[in-house]
Amino acid sequence: GAVVSQHPSWVICKSGTSVKIECRSLDFQATTMFWYRQFPKQSLMLMATSNEGSKATYEQGVEKDKFLINHASLTLSTLTVTSAHPEDSSFYICSARDIRRAKNTEAFFGQGTRLTVV
Amino acid sequence: GENVEQHPSTLSVQEGDSAVIKCTYSDSASNYFPWYKQELGKRPQLIIDIRSNVGEKKDQRIAVTLNKTAKHFSLHITETQPEDSAVYFCAASNWGNNDMRFGAGTRLTVKP
């Protein structure tokens, strides 16, 4: 399968600072990237969907000014958690798909980022 | 928007038995239904998927069935093995909306 690389795999930051998480598709062009948040022993909660070159579509209840998503190229999307607070501590994971490939609608996941805000 | 429900949340079976996980979806426009397996500390990996133009798909010990009328789909694992132990997620995707929403997950434990 295709490879999606997410960086960093873990990060600890101080409350009030911002953290940027990168999601890269290494061997295919990702027209769409999804950002999820996963709490311990819970499901993947969709935060936003980003299409290359356009603004991200945020799910209800997700603050777009707090979780800034940029998808400037077909291989890179970034999630920036601004003014992080302890309640933002979570596992963030991205996935990517190339919707131009009609027969392949599979989404490939990055390895996730464990964010801890202290 | 789409809402995906998944049951059961936990499932324990004896090695060699079958396991069935069921999901329902709300958006009749959804047309792609993947199943992902997530082992502890690892990323979700696709194990099987089905599109809305077929009712069943099988890949060795894994099969998925889809009932479009009832808006539900199921994952069937036969001859379970301890390495099948993981969390399984179903998802539903609408090509037009280009989103992918997941069920709550099922923690499967296969006892040797």
Side-chain angles (χ1 to χ4, degrees), chain A residues 7-113:
Chain A
H7 178 81
S9 56
W10 62 270
V11 59
I12 301 173
C13 71
K14 290 185 177 180
S15 187
T17 62
S18 295
V19 173
K20 180 183 284 188
I21 302 169
E22 292 187 349
C23 182
R24 292 181 185 273
S25 56
L26 299 186
D27 52 2
F28 72 104
Q29 293 185 326
T31 55
T32 303
M33 287 191 174
F34 304 97
W35 286 95
Y36 297 88
R37 185 171 178 176
Q38 187 175 32
F39 294 98
K41 297 185 178 181
Q42 292 191 26
S43 186
L44 299 153
M45 184 191 78
L46 179 65
M47 299 175 64
T49 302
S50 73
N51 294 300
E52 184 264 340
S54 62
K55 291 184 178 180
T57 301
Y58 288 82
E59 294 300 299
Q60 192 172 10
V62 178
E63 300 176 59
K64 60 181 180 181
D65 294 331
K66 180 167 185 61
F67 299 99
L68 300 178
I69 291 173
N70 183 279
H71 191 168
S73 77
L74 284 171
T75 59
L76 174 65
S77 177
T78 60
L79 166 67
T80 302
V81 183
T82 63
S83 187
H85 291 285
E87 55 265 31
D88 298 326
S89 298
S90 190
F91 187 68
Y92 294 87
I93 192 165
C94 69
S95 70
R97 71 200 303 195
D98 184 353
I99 65 170
R100 297 171 302 179
R101 299 173 64 184
K103 293 185 178 181
N104 178 7
T105 53
E106 176 183 357
F108 299 93
F109 281 86
Q111 63 266 51
T113 298

Side-chain angles (χ1 to χ4, degrees), chain B:
Chain B
E2 175 65 275
N3 181 44
V4 180
E5 295 192 357
Q6 182 172 347
H7 300 278
S9 57
T10 59
L11 179 59
S12 182
V13 300
Q14 208 65 38
E15 182 177 1
D17 289 349
S18 296
V20 180
I21 302 171
K22 299 181 179 181
C23 288
T24 61
Y25 61 98
S26 61
D27 188 353
S28 57
S30 289
N31 51 20
Y32 175 66
F33 307 92
W35 285 88
Y36 285 84
K37 176 183 180 181
Q38 186 177 28
E39 296 179 9
L40 188 63
K42 296 186 178 181
R43 74 188 77 190
Q45 298 272 13
L46 180 77
I47 55 171
I48 195 167
D49 57 12
I50 191 167
R51 290 173 177 78
S52 59
N53 57 344
V54 298
E56 185 174 0
K57 184 177 179 181
K58 189 173 182 179
D59 182 4
Q60 299 182 345
R61 297 188 295 110
I62 295 172
V64 58
T65 58
L66 171 65
N67 184 327
K68 287 174 55 181
T69 303
K71 296 206 280 285
H72 66 70
F73 55 112
S74 301
L75 176 71
H76 304 253
I77 306 174
T78 58
E79 300 173 26
T80 54
Q81 301 167 2
E83 49 265 39
D84 294 330
S85 297
V87 178
Y88 291 81
F89 293 100
C90 63
S93 179
N94 179 335
W95 182 272
N97 289 342
N98 191 27
D99 60 12
M100 185 174 290
R101 298 175 190 278
F102 285 81
T106 296
R107 184 171 298 278
L108 174 64
T109 303
V110 180
K111 299 178 181 178

